[in-house]
Amino acid sequence: MELNKTLVKKFTEHLSDETFEVKLWDGEILKVGEGEPKFKLIINKFPSKKDLLEDASVALAQAYMDGDIDFEGDSQEIFESIIRNKESFLNKGSRLLKFAGKVKAPSLKKSKKDIAHHYDIGNDFYSLWLDETMSYSCGYFKNENDTLYDAQMNKIKHILKKLNLKEGQRLLDIGCGWGYLIIEAAKLYKVKALGITLSEEQFAKATERIKEEGLEDLVEVKLMDYRDLEKSGLEFDRVVSVGMVEHVGHANIPLFYKNVNAVLKESGLFLLHNITNLVETEGNKFITEYIFPGGYLPTLREEIDVASDMDFHVIDVESLRLHYMKTLQEWVKNFEDHIAEERKMFDEKFLRMWHLYLTSCAAGFHYWSIDIHQTLYSKGINNELPLTRAYLYED
């Protein structure tokens, strides 16, 4: 056991920028840092040196999911203290550019499997901790007292305003989720909207919602992949994609833009809302192995580089990073408030995994290199937009 204690001491020495305690399997308490401890790390069993060297984030996440490691303290604040410490394992990512030529583009079959892994685990589960709109993306908090529902409605209306929609136009939503954005677009602007998704669960719920609203003449949802747009013969005045391009993969980003380009009319507008990274990296393996298989966070620069090659002009870029932190905090609260119901659906390992995912992401949007951007493009020149952004903030 002494060797394990040596490993623990060495590993925790540079874990956090805060003082904390470590409670070992035999009851021994170690103090790391000076001053009053801010949290406690409880170790019942520690990962092997081999597993830690292979990927510390995966090894520690697995240990947490199995109950071998636990925390006492605010989870988000603990992860933030780890992120802020530049010597910690969370700041040891590999640069993607070193092996970019070897990155394989995901097939449609793999994409369907990856999407099902995350989004088809049950609408009942998501409905417990998302808001009434079932929006599973960053909200937009206009006021200090905005609820999660308010923030998601603000986000939808903010996006629709940026698209400068006009009655009778055709709107495409790539990765439409549970369909609330296309429904609101039809109700507010009388546009004809199509949403596409690979998720069976989302397709079923979105279809149900469209019927409930009596919008079958204006709104439609299809089980369809973005790669099928180019050969579809469809044409749209506006295209939007919220939280979907993260599933495309580094190698397929040009293909994604090519398919948007194929269906967007000249001078049409395209709004891309997605999580971005500061530099091109492999990404956190806990997230890509357990939560979003096949996931990749593009950088703003690689998106704009690809877009410019297709004559997409950047009209507006807005960061919503702190809005996503607040959104995740709301999701965590709802998740914790409904834990008894969630335990009837899933085992403890799954629930610990999801709690780790949500809280670590909240910390990440506060202090890590991840961001979220809304980027508005025009295909070619568009001279019809307002001269200022004032229209975005008018009720």
PDB file of all heavy atoms in Angstrom, residues 162-174:
ATOM      1  N   LYS A 162     -31.443  37.271 -35.317  1.00  0.00           N
ATOM      2  CA  LYS A 162     -30.200  37.351 -36.095  1.00  0.00           C
ATOM      3  C   LYS A 162     -30.400  36.869 -37.529  1.00  0.00           C
ATOM      4  O   LYS A 162     -29.745  37.361 -38.455  1.00  0.00           O
ATOM      5  CB  LYS A 162     -29.098  36.521 -35.412  1.00  0.00           C
ATOM      6  CG  LYS A 162     -28.506  37.171 -34.178  1.00  0.00           C
ATOM      7  CD  LYS A 162     -27.345  36.353 -33.623  1.00  0.00           C
ATOM      8  CE  LYS A 162     -26.717  37.034 -32.407  1.00  0.00           C
ATOM      9  NZ  LYS A 162     -25.553  36.297 -31.873  1.00  0.00           N
ATOM     10  N   LEU A 163     -31.290  35.912 -37.703  1.00  0.00           N
ATOM     11  CA  LEU A 163     -31.560  35.374 -39.035  1.00  0.00           C
ATOM     12  C   LEU A 163     -32.411  36.320 -39.881  1.00  0.00           C
ATOM     13  O   LEU A 163     -32.587  36.083 -41.078  1.00  0.00           O
ATOM     14  CB  LEU A 163     -32.245  34.012 -38.924  1.00  0.00           C
ATOM     15  CG  LEU A 163     -31.340  32.864 -38.475  1.00  0.00           C
ATOM     16  CD1 LEU A 163     -32.169  31.635 -38.130  1.00  0.00           C
ATOM     17  CD2 LEU A 163     -30.303  32.528 -39.543  1.00  0.00           C
ATOM     18  N   ASN A 164     -32.961  37.381 -39.245  1.00  0.00           N
ATOM     19  CA  ASN A 164     -33.712  38.401 -39.979  1.00  0.00           C
ATOM     20  C   ASN A 164     -34.786  37.762 -40.873  1.00  0.00           C
ATOM     21  O   ASN A 164     -34.865  38.023 -42.077  1.00  0.00           O
ATOM     22  CB  ASN A 164     -32.736  39.237 -40.810  1.00  0.00           C
ATOM     23  CG  ASN A 164     -33.222  40.658 -41.025  1.00  0.00           C
ATOM     24  OD1 ASN A 164     -33.461  41.081 -42.150  1.00  0.00           O
ATOM     25  ND2 ASN A 164     -33.390  41.407 -39.949  1.00  0.00           N
ATOM     26  N   LEU A 165     -35.599  36.949 -40.244  1.00  0.00           N
ATOM     27  CA  LEU A 165     -36.604  36.167 -40.976  1.00  0.00           C
ATOM     28  C   LEU A 165     -37.736  37.040 -41.506  1.00  0.00           C
ATOM     29  O   LEU A 165     -38.146  38.016 -40.875  1.00  0.00           O
ATOM     30  CB  LEU A 165     -37.180  35.082 -40.068  1.00  0.00           C
ATOM     31  CG  LEU A 165     -36.216  33.972 -39.651  1.00  0.00           C
ATOM     32  CD1 LEU A 165     -36.801  33.169 -38.496  1.00  0.00           C
ATOM     33  CD2 LEU A 165     -35.898  33.058 -40.825  1.00  0.00           C
ATOM     34  N   LYS A 166     -38.272  36.620 -42.655  1.00  0.00           N
ATOM     35  CA  LYS A 166     -39.420  37.269 -43.268  1.00  0.00           C
ATOM     36  C   LYS A 166     -40.483  36.210 -43.569  1.00  0.00           C
ATOM     37  O   LYS A 166     -40.152  35.064 -43.901  1.00  0.00           O
ATOM     38  CB  LYS A 166     -39.016  37.977 -44.566  1.00  0.00           C
ATOM     39  CG  LYS A 166     -37.924  39.036 -44.399  1.00  0.00           C
ATOM     40  CD  LYS A 166     -38.441  40.262 -43.653  1.00  0.00           C
ATOM     41  CE  LYS A 166     -37.417  41.391 -43.637  1.00  0.00           C
ATOM     42  NZ  LYS A 166     -36.215  41.097 -42.841  1.00  0.00           N
ATOM     43  N   GLU A 167     -41.741  36.628 -43.457  1.00  0.00           N
ATOM     44  CA  GLU A 167     -42.850  35.698 -43.715  1.00  0.00           C
ATOM     45  C   GLU A 167     -42.712  35.042 -45.085  1.00  0.00           C
ATOM     46  O   GLU A 167     -42.376  35.692 -46.073  1.00  0.00           O
ATOM     47  CB  GLU A 167     -44.183  36.448 -43.633  1.00  0.00           C
ATOM     48  CG  GLU A 167     -45.390  35.541 -43.777  1.00  0.00           C
ATOM     49  CD  GLU A 167     -46.704  36.262 -43.542  1.00  0.00           C
ATOM     50  OE1 GLU A 167     -46.700  37.359 -42.954  1.00  0.00           O
ATOM     51  OE2 GLU A 167     -47.747  35.704 -43.946  1.00  0.00           O
ATOM     52  N   GLY A 168     -42.941  33.734 -45.114  1.00  0.00           N
ATOM     53  CA  GLY A 168     -42.900  32.991 -46.370  1.00  0.00           C
ATOM     54  C   GLY A 168     -41.539  32.404 -46.704  1.00  0.00           C
ATOM     55  O   GLY A 168     -41.421  31.587 -47.621  1.00  0.00           O
ATOM     56  N   GLN A 169     -40.493  32.810 -45.967  1.00  0.00           N
ATOM     57  CA  GLN A 169     -39.170  32.252 -46.234  1.00  0.00           C
ATOM     58  C   GLN A 169     -39.102  30.794 -45.760  1.00  0.00           C
ATOM     59  O   GLN A 169     -39.907  30.336 -44.964  1.00  0.00           O
ATOM     60  CB  GLN A 169     -38.082  33.070 -45.528  1.00  0.00           C
ATOM     61  CG  GLN A 169     -37.848  34.428 -46.145  1.00  0.00           C
ATOM     62  CD  GLN A 169     -36.729  35.198 -45.468  1.00  0.00           C
ATOM     63  OE1 GLN A 169     -36.460  35.023 -44.278  1.00  0.00           O
ATOM     64  NE2 GLN A 169     -36.066  36.071 -46.218  1.00  0.00           N
ATOM     65  N   ARG A 170     -38.099  30.088 -46.269  1.00  0.00           N
ATOM     66  CA  ARG A 170     -37.874  28.700 -45.876  1.00  0.00           C
ATOM     67  C   ARG A 170     -36.647  28.630 -44.974  1.00  0.00           C
ATOM     68  O   ARG A 170     -35.588  29.169 -45.290  1.00  0.00           O
ATOM     69  CB  ARG A 170     -37.692  27.800 -47.102  1.00  0.00           C
ATOM     70  CG  ARG A 170     -38.979  27.599 -47.891  1.00  0.00           C
ATOM     71  CD  ARG A 170     -38.785  26.658 -49.072  1.00  0.00           C
ATOM     72  NE  ARG A 170     -38.301  25.347 -48.643  1.00  0.00           N
ATOM     73  CZ  ARG A 170     -39.079  24.376 -48.167  1.00  0.00           C
ATOM     74  NH1 ARG A 170     -40.383  24.571 -48.057  1.00  0.00           N
ATOM     75  NH2 ARG A 170     -38.572  23.207 -47.814  1.00  0.00           N
ATOM     76  N   LEU A 171     -36.810  27.929 -43.840  1.00  0.00           N
ATOM     77  CA  LEU A 171     -35.755  27.813 -42.827  1.00  0.00           C
ATOM     78  C   LEU A 171     -35.410  26.348 -42.612  1.00  0.00           C
ATOM     79  O   LEU A 171     -36.299  25.505 -42.458  1.00  0.00           O
ATOM     80  CB  LEU A 171     -36.239  28.422 -41.508  1.00  0.00           C
ATOM     81  CG  LEU A 171     -35.390  28.150 -40.251  1.00  0.00           C
ATOM     82  CD1 LEU A 171     -34.044  28.864 -40.342  1.00  0.00           C
ATOM     83  CD2 LEU A 171     -36.142  28.579 -38.990  1.00  0.00           C
ATOM     84  N   LEU A 172     -34.121  26.053 -42.577  1.00  0.00           N
ATOM     85  CA  LEU A 172     -33.632  24.707 -42.270  1.00  0.00           C
ATOM     86  C   LEU A 172     -32.900  24.737 -40.937  1.00  0.00           C
ATOM     87  O   LEU A 172     -32.042  25.589 -40.708  1.00  0.00           O
ATOM     88  CB  LEU A 172     -32.672  24.217 -43.361  1.00  0.00           C
ATOM     89  CG  LEU A 172     -31.901  22.922 -43.059  1.00  0.00           C
ATOM     90  CD1 LEU A 172     -32.843  21.719 -42.973  1.00  0.00           C
ATOM     91  CD2 LEU A 172     -30.812  22.688 -44.101  1.00  0.00           C
ATOM     92  N   ASP A 173     -33.225  23.781 -40.060  1.00  0.00           N
ATOM     93  CA  ASP A 173     -32.520  23.616 -38.786  1.00  0.00           C
ATOM     94  C   ASP A 173     -31.803  22.265 -38.827  1.00  0.00           C
ATOM     95  O   ASP A 173     -32.444  21.212 -38.817  1.00  0.00           O
ATOM     96  CB  ASP A 173     -33.519  23.671 -37.628  1.00  0.00           C
ATOM     97  CG  ASP A 173     -32.844  23.634 -36.256  1.00  0.00           C
ATOM     98  OD1 ASP A 173     -31.614  23.445 -36.208  1.00  0.00           O
ATOM     99  OD2 ASP A 173     -33.551  23.778 -35.246  1.00  0.00           O
ATOM    100  N   ILE A 174     -30.469  22.291 -38.884  1.00  0.00           N
ATOM    101  CA  ILE A 174     -29.668  21.066 -38.953  1.00  0.00           C
ATOM    102  C   ILE A 174     -29.339  20.624 -37.529  1.00  0.00           C
ATOM    103  O   ILE A 174     -28.625  21.300 -36.801  1.00  0.00           O
ATOM    104  CB  ILE A 174     -28.359  21.310 -39.725  1.00  0.00           C
ATOM    105  CG1 ILE A 174     -28.649  21.846 -41.127  1.00  0.00           C
ATOM    106  CG2 ILE A 174     -27.552  20.013 -39.824  1.00  0.00           C
ATOM    107  CD1 ILE A 174     -27.403  22.257 -41.901  1.00  0.00           C
TER     108      ILE A 174
END
